[in-house]
């Protein structure tokens, strides 16, 4: 029997998230997180999922990503799932930025690594960390296929009319300035899962996907392909987020430089880490914001209203882009759990055929579900995202295609 396990790695600058899946039935065998890499108080939490064992957690110095992956392998080995297992078919890596040309999951070689590195200027926070995880995994298992699955890939189907900014073309091309979009693995998974929920094929469904977490993005998906998305050159554009501003007049930056005397680094920090909900009201946890609203906090109420106003604008815009909408799908931490956000986001859109049923919307569940009335023209759904499963599925499919395409032993060429 061919190896069927895929290890999914999401490497940050000082962390590694991981899941091990068996692709015969898409079951999870183990999951975990290593954080504070490079510190004396590094922490590893490992949860075996196949046998229902208890989570294991320890703290101590983990010097670098290689030490982190060795620690992960040791924890997996305790469950009989080590990194050296012959049942491991591949390692799938989340890579945030794949630029314009990485449109599919890609087997990693030196040329692919070089291109990911070349994209660092447009993803300075993410691609370096992703590269570190890839290089470490390749060093530990050089014999194993390693696959890059790009956050941007799902959005490469956008037409030029959606992907281009209205600036000088030569300048844009020279500096790779265009809308790339992010959260692509989530948007891909959720759009397909929504079609399945409706009992239809993805190519027969138009979906507006709202990925609402601390980072937030919207996409317009026509027949299984993205035709527009809210994030742009970087994950800063678009919706109001936990700490990011989203859409804003670019001249604000010039104003802050000329009048406020702020440096580019200070403005970068302001817009990415001190804006959005936390900039508006001091909290980026929607649960805490709702609690404050219930207690009469006007600042929290205004932050919520601004968040919803922007969200509703994108729903309306993408309704116009698609022309016909079969479903609106809410996903990620806020989208899956914050019923007041879902209700407020579609309030007043009844003339567009969009509404939610209050009782259905209030139900908490880990399963995909419809929260719109049966008679609604547009289905409104809550679809838990599963980016790790999406990465594993794409990785396993690619490795399988390569194996099937390889010439049989003894074939003459």
């Amino acid at each position: 029997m061919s190896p069927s396990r895929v290890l999914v790695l999401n490497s940050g600058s000082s962390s590694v998230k991981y899941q091990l899946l068996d692709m015969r039935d898409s079951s999870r065998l183990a999951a975990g997180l290593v954080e504070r890499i490079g510190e004396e108080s590094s922490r590893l939490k490992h949860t075996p999922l196949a046998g229902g064992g208890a989570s294991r957690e320890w703290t101590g110095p983990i010097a670098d990503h290689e030490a982190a992956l060795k620690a992960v392998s040791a924890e997996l080995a305790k469950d009989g799932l080590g990194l050296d297992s012959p049942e491991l078919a591949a390692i799938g890596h989340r890579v945030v930025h794949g630029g314009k040309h990485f449109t599919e999951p890609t087997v990693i070689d030196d040329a692919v690594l070089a291109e990911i590195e070349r994209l660092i200027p447009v993803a300075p926070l993410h691609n370096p960390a992703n590269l570190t995880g890839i290089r470490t995994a390749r060093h530990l298992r050089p014999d194993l296929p390693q696959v890059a699955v790009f956050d941007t890939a799902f959005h490469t189907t956008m037409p030029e009319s959606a992907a281009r900014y209205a600036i000088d073309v030569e300048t844009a091309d020279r500096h790779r300035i265009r809308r790339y979009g992010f959260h692509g693995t989530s948007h891909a998974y959720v759009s397909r899962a929504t079609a399945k929920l409706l009992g239809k094929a993805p190519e027969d469904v138009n979906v507006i996907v709202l990925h609402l977490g601390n980072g937030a993005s919207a996409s317009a998906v026509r027949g299984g392909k993205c035709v527009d998305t809210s994030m742009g050159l970087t994950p800063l554009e678009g919706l109001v987020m936990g700490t990011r501003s989203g859409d804003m007049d670019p001249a604000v930056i010039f104003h802050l430089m000329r009048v406020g005397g702020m440096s580019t680094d200070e403005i970068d920090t302001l817009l990415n880490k001190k804006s959005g909900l936390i900039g508006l009201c001091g909290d980026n946890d929607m649960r805490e914001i709702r609690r404050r609203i219930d207690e009469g906090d006007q600042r929290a109420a205004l932050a919520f209203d601004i968040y919803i106003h922007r969200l509703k604008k994108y729903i309306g815009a993408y309704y116009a882009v698609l022309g016909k909408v079969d479903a609106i799908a809410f996903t990620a931490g806020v989208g899956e759990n914050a019923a007041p956000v879902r209700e407020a986001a579609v309030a007043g859109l009844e003339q567009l055929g969009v509404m939610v049923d209050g009782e259905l919307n209030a139900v908490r569940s880990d399963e995909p579900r419809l929260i719109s009335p049966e008679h609604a023209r547009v289905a409104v759904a809550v679809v838990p995202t599963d980016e790790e499963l999406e990465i594993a599925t794409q990785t396993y499919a690619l490795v399988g295609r390569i194996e099937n395409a390889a010439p049989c032993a003894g074939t003459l060429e």
Side-chain angles (χ1 to χ4, degrees):
M1 185 178 293
S2 299
S4 60
R5 295 174 183 170
V6 174
L7 178 65
V8 176
L9 295 179
N10 182 353
S11 300
S13 58
S14 61
S15 66
V16 176
K17 295 178 183 177
Y18 63 93
Q19 282 196 19
L20 181 66
L21 298 95
D22 190 328
M23 300 314 295
R24 287 174 297 186
D25 56 4
S26 298
S27 61
R28 284 167 177 74
L29 304 177
L33 168 68
V34 186
E35 57 186 349
R36 300 195 292 271
I37 295 172
E39 299 180 19
E40 289 297 313
S41 59
S42 305
R43 172 178 173 267
L44 187 154
K45 182 176 182 180
H46 174 85
T47 304
L49 300 171
S55 295
R56 301 188 293 270
E57 184 174 339
W58 60 268
T59 59
I62 296 178
D64 51 29
H65 281 70
E66 181 167 353
L69 278 187
K70 286 181 177 178
V72 168
S73 182
E75 289 301 317
L76 289 169
K78 293 176 183 176
D79 305 316
L81 305 168
L83 204 62
D84 58 352
S85 169
E87 296 184 55
L88 191 60
I91 299 177
H93 298 267
R94 180 200 180 203
V95 179
V96 167
H97 216 307
K100 182 180 179 181
H101 300 296
F102 285 121
T103 62
E104 300 285 347
T106 305
V107 173
I108 298 166
D109 56 21
D110 290 344
V112 171
L113 276 176
E115 181 61 19
I116 295 171
E117 190 164 18
R118 203 157 69 94
L119 288 163
I120 285 176
V122 290
L125 298 178
H126 299 93
N127 274 29
N130 301 154
L131 281 166
T132 299
I134 291 169
R135 287 178 173 132
T136 301
R138 288 182 87 201
H139 176 68
L140 293 177
R141 283 298 307 268
D143 59 310
L144 202 65
Q146 313 258 342
V147 175
V149 179
F150 299 93
D151 271 14
T152 49
F154 182 65
H155 304 302
T156 57
T157 55
M158 283 191 294
E160 286 293 281
S161 56
R164 284 262 180 196
Y165 291 110
I167 65 173
D168 173 67
V169 172
E170 291 182 1
T171 300
D173 289 347
R174 183 163 62 250
H175 298 291
R176 301 182 174 199
I177 298 172
R178 62 188 290 114
R179 176 173 285 109
Y180 292 102
F182 299 90
H183 295 145
T185 51
S186 177
H187 286 279
Y189 176 85
V190 171
S191 60
R192 286 202 316 273
T194 302
K196 182 178 180 181
L197 187 62
L198 299 179
K200 298 181 179 181
E203 55 267 26
D204 296 330
V205 175
N206 291 355
V207 185
I208 297 172
V209 178
L210 304 172
H211 177 109
L212 308 179
N214 191 51
S217 61
S219 68
V221 183
R222 177 184 292 127
K225 296 182 182 296
C226 177
V227 295
D228 206 348
T229 192
S230 58
M231 286 180 168
L233 174 73
T234 75
L236 180 59
E237 187 180 2
L239 302 174
V240 175
M241 304 176 224
T243 66
R244 299 177 198 148
S245 64
D247 291 341
M248 189 184 66
D249 181 351
V252 170
I253 296 171
F254 311 140
H255 182 80
L256 291 173
M257 294 175 72
R258 293 168 182 158
V259 178
M262 295 178 68
S263 68
T264 53
D265 286 345
E266 288 173 329
I267 295 170
D268 188 289
T269 298
L270 170 70
L271 298 183
N272 278 290
K273 298 180 180 180
K274 297 181 178 180
S275 296
L277 291 171
I278 205 163
L280 290 168
C281 71
D283 271 311
N284 63 333
D285 187 320
M286 188 59 72
R287 293 165 297 187
E288 182 64 16
I289 291 171
R290 289 302 309 178
R291 184 193 66 76
R292 288 171 55 184
I293 291 171
D294 291 341
E295 293 177 354
D297 189 315
Q298 292 303 305
R299 189 175 170 193
L302 178 59
F304 183 82
D305 289 346
I306 293 170
Y307 181 95
I308 295 298
H309 180 78
R310 184 82 55 82
L311 184 55
K312 191 172 294 188
K313 281 175 65 175
Y314 268 92
I315 293 172
Y318 287 172
Y319 201 119
V321 166
L322 292 170
K324 172 182 173 292
V325 177
D326 297 288
I328 296 171
F330 289 88
T331 192
V334 175
E336 293 170 28
N337 297 298
V341 169
R342 299 191 295 260
E343 180 182 8
V346 303
L349 302 183
E350 291 82 6
Q351 292 299 313
L352 297 177
V354 183
M355 61 194 77
V356 298
D357 179 289
E359 291 185 4
L360 294 175
N361 188 38
V363 172
R364 296 183 68 89
S365 172
D366 294 330
E367 297 298 319
R369 60 198 186 277
L370 295 177
I371 60 171
S372 48
E374 287 187 16
H375 64 272
R377 194 163 72 248
V378 177
V380 180
V382 180
V383 180
T385 192
D386 198 332
E387 295 176 85
E388 289 79 13
L389 177 58
E390 181 69 16
I391 291 170
T393 299
Q394 292 190 28
T395 296
Y396 191 63
L398 175 59
V399 171
R401 289 197 299 271
I402 292 170
E403 289 179 351
N404 291 334
C408 297
T411 299
L412 297 176
E413 297 188 27

